[in-house]
Amino acid sequence: MESKELARSLLQRFEGLEETRQPWVGTWQELCEYMLPRKNTFTSSGLQRGSSGDERIFDSTPMYALEQLASSLGGLLTNPAMPWFDIRVKDTKQGDDKAVRSFLEQTRDRITGLFNSERTGFQSNVHELYLDIALLGTAVMYVEADPESVVRFSTRPLGEVYVAESSRGVVDSVYRRFEMTARQVAREWGASCSDEMRKKSEDKPDAKVEILHAVFPRTDRDPFGIGSVNFPYGSIYLEIDTETVLEDSGYLEMPYLVPRWAKAAGETYGRGPGLTALSDTRVLNAMARTALMAAEKMSDPPLMVPDDGFLGPVRSGPGGLSYYRAGSSDRIEPLPVRVDLAATENMMEQRRESIRRIFLGDQLKPEGPAVTATEAVIRQSEKMRVLGPVLGRLQTELLSPLIKRVFNIMLRAGELPPFPEGLTPDDIEVRYTSPVARAQKQYEAQGLPQVMQYLSPLVGNGDPMGLLDNFDTDRVARHVAELFGTPADYVKSEEDVAVVRQSRQQAQGEERINRTIAELAGVAKTLSEAYTDRPNALTELWGMLTAKPPAAKAGSPQETPHAD
């Protein structure tokens, strides 16, 4: 396909995606105006630089609840202080090898270091993503290889992104329209730019230029071909005004991650807590505005002034003097304003509490100290069950693809440790460890102490009935270590355990032999120090062994041989 024809085809597809997205724009704009004005990128002018954009906000409860939810999601899903992903070998026997375990641990540490590095910008960008998905229901993160930081993360404004799904409901096409300066375009693509663009970069280097980045699955590629044009996903940059293709390349994985909070059947874009709380937010701001007006009238009420009797204007300010004729009975009186502000505040508080619940404030707020560890685990498990459906979609559409994408980029860049002999990338499974799964595992781990506590009266001392023979203690120990997320290098391999036990048995056997030798030496010493010139137990034993009668005791009658 020729360059111009390809550009027109992409622009035509883009127009269709823009038309599909258009019904959402008004709702997204209203959500931003009420809850987070800086996210309003859905109009041609957008938020004016330096402007707060909070003209419609009279109560900040929705903004605070939104920030709390985004921060809680960050601490719960991608906390830099806790392991939130795992790397394992599909074959458990192969994964018990010491070299493989060391490789997996080093790989996990390197990927964790990359996510927590300031150069990649992951933590700051993922927080913006949580704000977008909680407010707008849809968020977009761009993950690309970078020669300086290996991987670069960028959360893109939803106002510049247009998406389409596959037949399975997975986002597989992303068109992004954004602006760059003419100087930046000329520096990025050089000779591929149009003549108009090169001229503009010289005459007006800071002039804005619209660029379209289209990422879509290639259907005409050769799976066994060489080059980026045969990659699973095509990537094309083009100038919109001149219909000039700037770059035609591809990706091995989808670089745009588009998680949705929840999605109605037949819709492409998601719905989040912000949309659910929109009606309460409208009412709350209207009530807050009315309450402010009522309070203002009560503090500075309208005045009832007689039409005559006063000289000059009425001054109602502090220390103001109003003159009236002497002897006149007319007075300035305030207009009665009767407003029950307590009832208004009560109604507003109900709306605030409803908004907090919609943003999961009741589920994510810290609770009082638990009485026991079991109670703490049960609380966490119940909380995770409530958040399970939401976290499940985020895991499927964001976290799992994110970890796999980063792992593959690091693998291709040579940033991972050398693979052990016999281990290939296809043998490795990179997956996100869900907090729901962790809570369920910890709850499962509580079952073992309960079983042992129940059996302890029956086991007693020495387990006379052999009840513990029903348990594979090695498997129990390894399973508990896995449930609590113990690092793999903390647990010895089965071969090392067998060697330790064999050495212990050998040492115990040598100890028994040494103890026996010591006892025999003591017996020998006793024998050497015993008297043998007079009858005793030793002389009797010796006589029995040599078949000689023992010596007669003094004063005892002697037997004589019987004469025939």
Side-chain angles (χ1 to χ4, degrees):
M1 185 181 295
E2 296 182 357
S3 176
K4 286 293 183 182
E5 184 180 355
L6 176 61
R8 293 191 184 99
S9 174
L10 292 175
L11 289 174
Q12 185 177 1
R13 175 81 188 281
F14 173 71
E15 291 176 359
L17 295 177
E18 188 176 18
E19 182 180 354
T20 302
R21 200 195 73 163
Q22 186 60 35
W24 291 90
V25 174
T27 302
W28 290 339
Q29 185 174 354
E30 187 178 11
L31 285 170
C32 293
E33 290 174 352
Y34 274 120
M35 301 184 194
L36 203 59
R38 67 182 177 86
K39 290 287 185 179
N40 189 6
T41 59
F42 303 102
T43 59
S44 57
S45 58
L47 180 65
Q48 297 296 328
R49 294 186 179 182
S51 172
S52 61
D54 59 353
E55 292 79 9
R56 303 182 69 176
I57 299 177
F58 292 89
D59 193 295
S60 60
T61 299
M63 297 179 63
Y64 178 74
L66 174 62
E67 290 282 355
Q68 287 293 103
L69 176 57
S71 300
S72 298
L73 289 176
L76 189 65
L77 301 181
T78 53
N79 192 333
M82 297 175 58
W84 51 274
F85 65 92
D86 194 15
I87 303 177
R88 294 182 178 274
V89 177
K90 298 176 182 178
D91 186 0
T92 55
K93 294 183 179 180
Q94 189 178 16
D96 201 50
D97 182 74
K98 188 174 183 179
V100 173
R101 289 152 61 92
S102 176
F103 166 80
L104 296 177
E105 199 65 30
Q106 293 180 36
T107 302
R108 186 184 299 107
D109 292 341
R110 293 193 184 187
I111 298 179
T112 301
L114 186 141
F115 277 122
N116 296 337
S117 173
E118 296 179 357
R119 299 175 61 190
T120 61
F122 173 74
Q123 291 298 333
S124 58
N125 280 277
V126 79
H127 179 70
E128 294 296 322
L129 180 139
Y130 291 140
L131 287 172
D132 286 345
I133 197 171
L135 175 63
L136 307 172
T138 305
V140 181
M141 174 174 278
Y142 182 47
V143 184
E144 62 176 336
D146 186 81
E148 297 181 0
S149 58
V150 183
V151 182
R152 185 160 59 93
F153 304 94
S154 176
T155 297
R156 306 312 310 167
L158 188 57
E160 64 182 32
V161 176
Y162 306 78
V163 303
E165 292 182 332
S166 66
S167 58
R168 297 186 176 183
V170 179
V171 174
D172 64 349
S173 299
V174 175
Y175 283 59
R176 174 176 159 238
R177 180 177 60 186
F178 61 100
E179 290 183 344
M180 298 177 67
T181 64
R183 182 182 64 86
Q184 291 172 339
V185 174
R187 186 174 180 178
E188 182 72 21
W189 287 286
S192 299
C193 298
S194 62
D195 296 336
E196 293 86 344
M197 179 58 61
R198 286 194 292 269
K199 187 175 184 302
K200 184 181 291 187
S201 65
E202 297 176 358
D203 300 338
K204 298 180 179 180
D206 294 325
K208 297 295 184 180
V209 179
E210 282 195 333
I211 304 296
L212 180 66
H213 183 206
V215 178
F216 52 90
R218 289 191 184 273
T219 57
D220 55 348
R221 71 184 184 96
D222 181 7
F224 303 100
I226 301 175
S228 60
V229 294
N230 292 307
F231 286 174
Y233 292 93
S235 171
I236 298 177
Y237 287 89
L238 61 88
E239 297 177 23
I240 294 180
D241 293 337
T242 61
E243 298 182 356
T244 302
V245 175
L246 299 173
E247 179 183 337
D248 186 356
S249 59
Y251 294 100
L252 292 171
E253 304 93 19
M254 183 62 174
Y256 286 102
L257 308 176
V258 187
R260 280 80 56 92
W261 183 275
K263 190 171 73 73
E267 293 181 346
T268 303
Y269 297 92
R271 297 171 178 263
L275 187 59
T276 306
L278 182 57
S279 60
D280 281 333
T281 302
R282 291 194 193 106
V283 175
L284 176 61
N285 280 276
M287 294 171 66
R289 183 174 181 272
T290 304
L292 288 174
M293 293 173 60
E296 185 178 4
K297 285 185 178 181
M298 292 178 65
S299 61
D300 188 11
L303 300 178
M304 295 188 297
V305 183
D307 57 354
D308 61 355
F310 281 82
L311 302 176
V314 176
R315 295 177 175 85
S316 60
L321 298 176
S322 299
Y323 297 94
Y324 64 95
R325 292 186 178 89
S328 174
S329 60
D330 295 332
R331 293 291 183 272
I332 299 174
E333 297 179 356
L335 180 68
V337 178
R338 295 181 178 86
V339 178
D340 190 354
L341 290 180
T344 303
E345 180 63 26
N346 185 30
M347 295 172 62
M348 292 172 60
E349 186 58 33
Q350 292 177 5
R351 297 291 178 176
R352 294 190 187 106
E353 187 61 29
S354 175
I355 292 172
R356 295 189 190 102
R357 287 197 302 269
I358 291 172
F359 282 103
L360 305 178
D362 57 333
Q363 297 295 327
L364 298 173
K365 68 179 180 181
E367 300 178 357
V371 178
T372 62
T374 304
E375 181 181 350
V377 171
I378 293 175
R379 286 183 184 179
Q380 183 72 3
S381 179
E382 292 176 351
K383 186 180 298 184
M384 291 300 102
R385 278 198 294 269
V386 175
L387 301 176
V390 173
L391 302 185
R393 177 174 283 274
L394 288 178
Q395 177 179 344
T396 302
E397 297 184 345
L398 171 66
L399 299 168
S400 292
L402 170 67
I403 298 168
K404 294 176 182 178
R405 168 78 172 154
V406 171
F407 176 83
N408 291 329
I409 291 177
M410 295 183 68
L411 177 63
R412 291 190 289 267
E415 293 294 329
L416 297 181
F419 276 71
E421 184 178 357
L423 187 68
T424 64
D426 295 335
D427 299 329
I428 295 178
E429 180 183 12
V430 184
R431 61 183 181 180
Y432 171 74
T433 53
S434 165
V436 179
R438 289 200 301 267
Q440 291 174 345
K441 287 181 178 180
Q442 292 179 4
Y443 187 75
E444 180 183 349
Q446 295 297 318
L448 180 61
Q450 293 176 3
V451 172
M452 303 309 296
Q453 182 178 1
Y454 181 81
L455 293 178
S456 58
L458 303 177
V459 173
N461 295 326
D463 189 19
M465 294 183 290
L467 295 180
L468 295 182
D469 296 339
N470 294 281
F471 296 92
D472 186 349
T473 54
D474 286 350
R475 179 69 190 118
V476 169
R478 291 180 175 274
H479 185 56
V480 171
E482 181 182 354
L483 291 178
F484 284 101
T486 305
D489 56 344
Y490 288 8
V491 182
K492 294 181 179 180
S493 65
E494 294 182 359
E495 294 180 358
D496 292 343
V497 173
V499 170
V500 170
R501 288 176 176 173
Q502 185 178 1
S503 301
R504 183 186 300 117
Q505 292 176 358
Q506 184 177 357
Q508 292 175 351
E510 293 177 354
E511 183 180 358
R512 285 195 296 268
I513 293 175
N514 293 334
R515 190 184 305 116
T516 303
I517 293 175
E519 293 176 355
L520 293 177
V523 172
K525 182 179 180 182
T526 302
L527 292 175
S528 64
E529 295 176 352
Y531 293 100
T532 57
D533 56 347
R534 58 178 179 266
N536 54 40
L538 291 177
T539 57
E540 294 179 1
L541 177 61
W542 180 257
M544 293 174 61
L545 293 175
T546 57
K548 293 181 178 180
K553 295 182 180 180
S556 61
Q558 300 290 331
E559 292 185 2
T560 57
H562 177 72
D564 292 334

